[in-house]
């Protein structure tokens, strides 16, 4: 059976140790986490966790059931299809020598990114988008020399 | 009502109030610095405290108590080593879904995280082997947390729940009102099965010429043995059970096939391997049950009824999944089966029953009598002398498998064993717990010479509380099950499994204030059993058995269930 990428979003109790239960479940049962995002929701008692994982069809069924079994998981959904929106964000520290600065600015503009820091030989770029867009801009900037990069995991919502 | 009145109580007093409201009359524990305030308060109540000699014993005893009584077991231990010593017991209760509440002391809240004396993060340590666990950080939360812990332990698929109580919380005075029954929006076990799914089961039964029921620990936990028996008899379907399910269906019934699995009976494994419909109830398809999963019940449609959705389709693909309480499901199936059209199909099943009886006669459970004591002979006679009425606990290994094969259980709650974790040292403390729960009954721990030494210190507990537990040691001076694997699969290289240096168990029993008896020849077996079982004291019976006897049948690990090594 082939593994596919799945995005899971869940509402959990905003209490100490809850993230550890979720993450521990993945490691303890041999599932993997590709990315993970956690933050409080509008209700301070509840947090939202978004996990991207790779699993087979039966694997993802088991992951969903096991997560639902955790006492602190209030609601869980698998996010997919046109009814959902997914984004991630990256901060990219890219080398920007004289001949390349204009080209970088053009790329940033096309991807509707922002320059949030400028140095004599570098830019720090902020960009958001879906996973494909992120890969695309990273690939375009790679030849200029990406020195550092920090990416969030995917966050997702149903429309 | 006292319940609604607001009172000022310390955390320790609140704990006592909750224990009383949950009907707890016995707890198993071991005191220490972090729980000294709780122990002080405990001494002012009527709750009986059984002082174990090691905290692992406390959890196993609470586990045995829970299984023998059908209620929740409770244990109380101190922080640090007291807490870490409970981990094996908790893991065993977790694997077998036994309702146990573990109360651990913790260092005062201001010291948490400081590597204080006797501090461990027991909530972190036990996260993956408890159904849920809590660290109480506000005295105001204590009552609600404790109430929730008991609710979680016993509801849905039961399991151990740990509550870690810092020392200062036990001393803090707060206003106490009895909390309402817990109602968690994120925890709603499904009790009522989907009727449409049950109808599919009835249709499958109406069409099946070769059906088998496979019952597990869930039938015992949901107290549905009566319903299961009625169902099997009405639908005329033979029944096998996992180790955890022994006693769920009467071992004396003609429909009984014996245990399934690695050391299951030939007819049970062959029946499952050849059936066209397998109705699995309250099981989780452990690898010791299925053997090679690809060839498990290869020609069968599989129906799986369980309260835990994660058990369904975890290891085995299923045709009809049913999430729900076994008792409710069986009850409804019994009503539906009354209206089902079974006349013709039951006639057609005659060939199936004939095949099963041939399997029974060609390869029954058997052993060769020798000049030394055969372990099976000891269990057979234990069964005869006790008329099958004893509560049997076991250690783990060959002793456990011989007990499962040669002692036949007619009722639930009579076979108490560490099934999932396979935890040596379980039997003696579990027997203590069972004896506390059912004081008038005969409780026998079937042990090996290896595993009895893992919690032998609990003999002192049994003697202190005059608990007339009987221990039958099948002494082969080997770690027998591992030796059996080494004999069969490792060219008889008995690496580190020879236990020639055990204590004299008779003298050891006497040193603890118990009675010690020994049998070295077959003719001594019955007299020793009679004498030991008739005693009103704690007794150890040391049976020096044939050293290299193996447990058969045996399905080698990872082999199909129908490919058994036979005697």
């Amino acid at each position: 059976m082939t593994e596919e990428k799945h995005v899971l979003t869940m509402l959990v109790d905003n209490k100490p140790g809850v993230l550890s239960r979720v993450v521990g479940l993945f490691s303890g049962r041999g599932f993997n986490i590709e990315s993970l995002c956690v933050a409080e929701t509008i209700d301070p008692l509840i947090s939202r966790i978004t996990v991207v994982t790779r699993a087979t069809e039966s694997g993802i069924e088991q992951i969903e059931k096991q997560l639902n079994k955790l006492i602190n998981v209030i609601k869980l959904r698998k996010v997919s299809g046109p009814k959902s929106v997914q984004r991630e964000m990256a901060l990219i520290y890219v080398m920007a020598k004289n001949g390349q600065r204009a080209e970088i600015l053009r790329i940033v503009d096309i991807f509707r990114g922002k320059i949030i820091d400028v140095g004599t030989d570098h830019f720090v770029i902020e960009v958001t988008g879906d996973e494909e867009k992120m890969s695309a801009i990273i690939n375009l900037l790679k030849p200029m020399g990406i020195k550092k990069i920090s990416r969030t995991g995917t966050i997702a919502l149903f429309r | 009502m006292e319940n609604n009145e607001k009172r000022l109580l310390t955390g320790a007093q609140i704990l006592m109030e909750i224990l009383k409201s949950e009907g707890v009359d016995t707890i198993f524990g071991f005191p220490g610095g972090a729980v000294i305030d709780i122990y002080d308060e405990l001494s002012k109540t009527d709750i009986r405290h059984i002082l174990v000699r090691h905290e692992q014993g406390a959890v196993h005893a609470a586990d045995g108590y829970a299984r023998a009584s059908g209620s929740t077991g409770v244990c109380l231990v101190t922080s640090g080593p007291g807490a870490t010593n409970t981990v094996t017991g908790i893991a065993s209760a977790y694997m077998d879904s036994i309702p146990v509440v573990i109360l651990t002391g913790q260092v005062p809240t201001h010291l948490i995280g400081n590597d204080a004396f006797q501090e461990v993060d027991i909530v972190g340590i036990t996260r993956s082997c408890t159904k849920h666990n809590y660290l109480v950080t506000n005295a105001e939360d204590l009552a609600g947390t404790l109430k929730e812990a008991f609710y979680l332990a016993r509801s849905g698929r039961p399991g151990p729940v740990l509550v870690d109580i810092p020392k200062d919380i036990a001393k803090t005075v707060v206003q106490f009102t009895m909390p309402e029954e817990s109602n968690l929006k994120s925890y709603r076990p499904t009790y009522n099965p989907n009727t449409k799914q049950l109808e599919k089961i009835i249709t499958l039964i109406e069409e099946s010429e070769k059906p088998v029921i496979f019952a597990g620990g869930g039938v015992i936990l949901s107290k549905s043995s009566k319903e299961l028996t009625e169902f099997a008899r009405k639908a005329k379907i033979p029944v096998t059970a996992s180790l955890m399910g022994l006693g769920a269906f009467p071992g004396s019934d003609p429909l009984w096939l014996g245990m399934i699995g690695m050391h299951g009976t030939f007819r049970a494994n062959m029946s499952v391997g050849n059936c066209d419909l397998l109705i699995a109830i309250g099981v989780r398809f452990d690898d010791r049950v299925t053997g090679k999963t690809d060839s498990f019940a290869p020609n069968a449609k599989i129906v799986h009824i369980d309260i835990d959705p994660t058990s369904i389709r975890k290891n085995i693909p299923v045709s009809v999944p049913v999430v729900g309480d076994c008792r409710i499901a069986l009850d409804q199936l019994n009503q539906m089966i009354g209206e089902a059209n079974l006349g013709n199909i039951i006639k057609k099943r005659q060939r199936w029953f004939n095949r099963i009886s041939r399997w029974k006669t060609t390869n029954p459970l058997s052993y060769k009598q020798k000049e030394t004591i055969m372990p099976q002979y000891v269990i057979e006679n234990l069964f005869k002398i006790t008329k099958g009425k004893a509560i049997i606990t076991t250690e783990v290994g060959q002793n456990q498998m011989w007990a499962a094969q040669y002692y036949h259980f007619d009722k639930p709650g009579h076979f108490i064993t560490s099934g999932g974790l396979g935890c040596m040292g379980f039997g003696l403390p579990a027997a203590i717990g069972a004896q506390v729960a059912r004081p008038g009954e005969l409780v026998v721990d079937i042990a090996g010479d290896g595993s009895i030494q893992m919690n032998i210190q609990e003999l002192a507990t049994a003697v202190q509380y005059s608990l007339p537990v009987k221990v039958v040691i099948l002494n082969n001076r080997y770690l027998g099950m591992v030796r059996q694997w080494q004999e069969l699969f490792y060219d008889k290289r008995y690496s580190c499994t020879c236990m020639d240096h055990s204590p004299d168990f008779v003298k050891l029993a006497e040193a603890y204030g118990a009675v010690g008896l020994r049998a070295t020849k077959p003719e001594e077996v019955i007299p020793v059993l009679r004498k030991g079982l008739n005693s009103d004291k704690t007794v150890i019976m040391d049976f020096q058995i044939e050293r290299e006897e193996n447990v058969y049948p045996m399905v080698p690990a990872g082999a199909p269930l129908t490919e058994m090594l036979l005697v």
Side-chain angles (χ1 to χ4, degrees):
Chain A
M1 283 213 281
T2 51
E3 289 195 344
E4 278 177 37
K5 195 181 115 170
H6 302 274
V7 180
L8 297 171
T9 175
M10 65 200 100
L11 296 175
V12 301
D13 290 323
N14 185 8
K15 285 182 187 165
V18 173
L19 176 62
S20 165
R21 284 178 209 279
V22 170
V23 172
L25 189 151
F26 276 83
S27 60
R29 293 191 177 269
F31 305 131
N32 68 9
I33 293 179
E34 287 203 343
S35 77
L36 174 72
C37 268
V38 197
E40 205 172 278
T41 62
I42 197 127
D43 177 351
L45 297 176
I46 293 175
S47 292
R48 182 182 292 279
I49 299 181
T50 314
V51 178
V52 179
T53 181
R54 294 194 81 83
T56 60
E57 204 180 314
S58 62
I60 192 68
E61 178 182 332
Q62 190 58 214
I63 293 173
E64 285 185 73
K65 284 173 168 179
Q66 293 286 357
L67 286 168
N68 265 317
K69 195 170 153 182
L70 292 178
I71 309 293
N72 297 120
V73 172
I74 300 162
K75 192 177 176 191
L76 168 82
R77 289 183 80 178
K78 195 162 78 178
V79 185
S80 61
K83 289 220 162 141
S84 70
V85 283
Q86 301 182 16
R87 287 291 180 272
E88 57 181 273
M89 177 175 157
L91 298 178
I92 306 167
Y93 188 117
V94 63
M95 302 315 290
K97 307 222 169 65
N98 268 338
Q100 294 175 328
R101 294 177 86 95
E103 171 68 4
I104 293 172
L105 289 173
R106 218 173 10 252
I107 293 171
V108 171
D109 194 39
I110 292 166
F111 281 84
R112 277 180 268 167
K114 270 194 263 177
I115 306 288
I116 56 172
D117 185 54
V118 188
T120 48
D121 61 351
H122 79 273
F123 291 134
V124 176
I125 298 160
E126 173 198 313
V127 63
T128 63
D130 59 19
E131 205 191 359
E132 263 174 50
K133 181 174 162 188
M134 306 309 278
S135 311
I137 187 169
I138 289 166
N139 281 334
L140 286 170
L141 292 174
K142 245 185 207 160
M144 326 285 179
I146 294 177
K147 197 174 172 196
K148 296 184 270 192
I149 187 162
S150 178
R151 291 172 73 172
T152 67
T154 300
I155 52 171
L157 277 183
F158 279 98
R159 291 176 202 271
Chain B
M1 264 297 279
E2 191 192 25
N3 277 1
N4 299 327
E5 182 182 306
K6 283 195 177 175
R7 287 179 292 160
L8 286 171
L9 297 181
T10 65
Q13 288 169 329
I14 289 172
L15 170 57
M16 298 308 137
E17 291 297 318
I18 302 292
L19 291 176
K20 279 186 247 168
S21 80
E22 288 292 326
V24 175
D25 55 13
T26 307
I27 64 180
F28 302 87
F30 199 101
V35 283
I36 199 161
D37 300 281
I38 296 174
Y39 267 90
D40 188 50
E41 211 49 54
L42 182 68
S43 69
K44 300 172 195 163
T45 69
D46 298 332
I47 297 170
R48 185 181 190 197
H49 180 267
I50 305 288
L51 177 67
V52 295
R53 298 305 191 264
H54 184 290
E55 290 88 348
Q56 184 189 345
V59 191
H60 290 328
D63 181 324
Y65 177 90
R67 296 198 213 194
S69 66
S71 57
T72 301
V74 181
C75 49
L76 170 61
V77 301
T78 194
S79 64
T84 52
N85 276 347
T86 63
V87 173
T88 304
I90 295 172
S92 179
Y94 183 64
M95 290 288 265
D96 292 345
S97 313
I98 306 303
V100 179
V101 171
I102 303 98
L103 305 165
T104 51
Q106 181 54 282
V107 300
T109 43
H110 72 275
L111 286 178
I112 290 178
N114 282 14
D115 299 325
F117 176 65
Q118 294 194 330
E119 179 188 357
V120 294
D121 172 16
I122 196 62
V123 168
I125 290 172
T126 59
R127 208 166 267 145
S128 61
C129 62
T130 49
K131 182 170 173 184
H132 198 55
N133 59 16
Y134 303 88
L135 167 65
V136 181
T137 48
N138 284 306
E140 287 81 7
D141 297 339
L142 181 63
T145 303
L146 288 166
K147 208 70 188 166
E148 202 170 286
F150 275 92
Y151 168 65
L152 288 178
R154 67 167 180 266
S155 59
R157 177 178 176 178
V161 179
L162 181 142
V163 184
D164 199 21
I165 307 171
K167 186 175 165 113
D168 55 321
I169 302 283
K171 288 200 275 198
T172 306
V173 176
V174 287
Q175 281 217 336
F176 170 73
T177 42
M178 185 60 75
E180 303 280 309
E181 195 58 35
S182 300
N183 182 12
L184 293 162
K185 61 182 167 187
S186 59
Y187 174 75
R188 294 274 158 82
T190 306
Y191 290 101
N192 289 315
N194 183 322
T195 314
K196 290 223 169 74
Q197 295 295 89
L198 296 181
E199 281 164 6
K200 286 186 198 160
I201 300 178
I202 297 291
T203 310
L204 289 175
I205 292 173
E206 286 173 337
E207 290 162 359
S208 166
E209 290 183 27
K210 298 185 286 180
V212 169
I213 293 170
F214 165 33
V219 175
I220 293 173
L221 287 163
S222 63
K223 303 186 173 82
S224 51
S225 304
K226 207 179 102 233
E227 288 77 3
L228 172 70
T229 309
E230 185 186 335
F231 175 61
R233 287 177 182 163
K234 270 188 179 167
K236 288 269 181 311
I237 304 178
V239 183
T240 182
S242 63
L243 182 74
M244 291 300 296
L246 293 180
F249 186 79
S252 54
D253 194 287
L255 290 169
W256 175 239
L257 296 170
M259 182 172 73
I260 190 181
M262 183 174 272
H263 295 292
T265 63
F266 183 75
R267 70 181 187 285
N269 288 347
M270 292 305 282
S271 301
V272 170
N274 290 282
C275 67
D276 63 6
L277 173 64
L278 186 73
I279 305 173
I281 310 171
V283 303
R284 57 184 179 84
F285 293 105
D286 179 271
D287 55 284
R288 287 296 193 264
V289 156
T290 59
K292 191 179 179 206
T293 47
D294 297 344
S295 38
F296 178 76
N299 308 314
K301 291 207 165 100
I302 299 180
V303 168
H304 190 182
I305 305 173
D306 200 89
I307 194 153
D308 181 358
T310 69
S311 289
I312 295 173
R313 291 209 193 101
K314 183 173 64 182
N315 302 331
I316 294 284
V318 171
S319 312
V320 184
V322 183
V323 177
D325 179 74
C326 294
R327 183 158 62 166
I328 300 173
L330 281 164
D331 208 32
Q332 293 184 8
L333 284 171
N334 282 333
Q335 288 170 27
M336 292 156 88
I337 204 93
E339 291 148 28
N341 181 13
L342 296 176
N344 284 331
I345 195 73
I346 284 174
K347 270 180 224 152
K348 280 195 194 160
R349 282 186 202 155
Q350 197 49 49
R351 283 184 59 198
W352 178 234
F353 282 105
N354 292 344
R355 264 179 100 183
I356 290 173
S357 32
R358 274 201 302 281
W359 285 324
K360 184 175 181 178
T361 42
T362 50
N363 289 295
L365 283 175
S366 65
Y367 62 95
K368 294 185 189 82
Q369 197 61 262
K370 295 184 186 161
E371 279 175 25
T372 44
I373 299 174
M374 299 306 285
Q376 301 93 331
Y377 177 75
V378 177
I379 311 291
E380 269 181 352
N381 280 292
L382 175 69
F383 175 71
K384 279 185 205 152
I385 292 169
T386 58
K387 301 189 176 68
K389 293 205 168 88
I391 297 171
I392 301 292
T393 70
T394 75
E395 304 293 337
V396 166
Q398 290 184 316
N399 61 81
Q400 181 186 31
M401 291 300 117
W402 284 318
Q405 291 178 334
Y406 288 89
Y407 203 97
H408 310 290
F409 299 92
D410 270 343
K411 282 192 210 153
H414 280 69
F415 185 58
I416 297 175
T417 194
S418 174
L421 192 69
C423 173
M424 289 169 73
F426 175 84
L428 178 56
I432 288 171
Q435 188 76 78
V436 170
R438 281 151 68 177
E441 294 190 47
L442 179 62
V443 180
V444 181
D445 170 28
I446 296 176
D449 52 307
S451 43
I452 191 63
Q453 293 186 63
M454 279 215 184
N455 273 318
I456 189 75
Q457 77 285 347
E458 299 308 332
L459 214 45
T461 311
V463 172
Q464 178 183 345
Y465 296 96
S466 305
L467 300 168
V469 166
K470 312 291 184 267
V471 181
V472 167
I473 301 178
L474 302 173
N475 184 350
N476 54 12
R477 291 181 285 138
Y478 275 118
L479 299 173
M481 186 57 94
V482 183
R483 186 210 57 76
Q484 174 171 339
W485 282 51
Q486 290 170 335
E487 177 189 330
L488 297 173
F489 312 119
Y490 293 84
D491 288 333
K492 290 201 174 187
R493 290 187 300 278
Y494 293 168
S495 174
C496 308
T497 44
C498 184
M499 288 253 286
D500 260 339
H501 287 83
S502 284
D504 177 329
F505 289 111
V506 172
K507 282 189 188 158
L508 188 71
E510 285 162 0
Y512 273 109
V515 175
L517 301 170
R518 177 173 294 128
T520 53
K521 294 184 223 122
E523 60 269 27
E524 292 167 358
V525 168
I526 293 172
V528 163
L529 278 172
R530 283 198 192 286
K531 193 171 172 197
L533 296 171
N534 282 332
S535 166
D536 56 2
K537 299 234 162 57
T538 310
V539 181
I540 281 195
M541 290 165 261
D542 178 16
F543 294 93
Q544 306 213 327
I545 59 164
E546 172 65 30
R547 292 199 71 195
E548 300 199 8
E549 179 64 2
N550 288 340
V551 180
Y552 290 117
M554 177 175 194
V555 181
L561 205 51
T562 45
E563 291 176 17
M564 285 162 270
L565 308 175
L566 298 163
V567 181

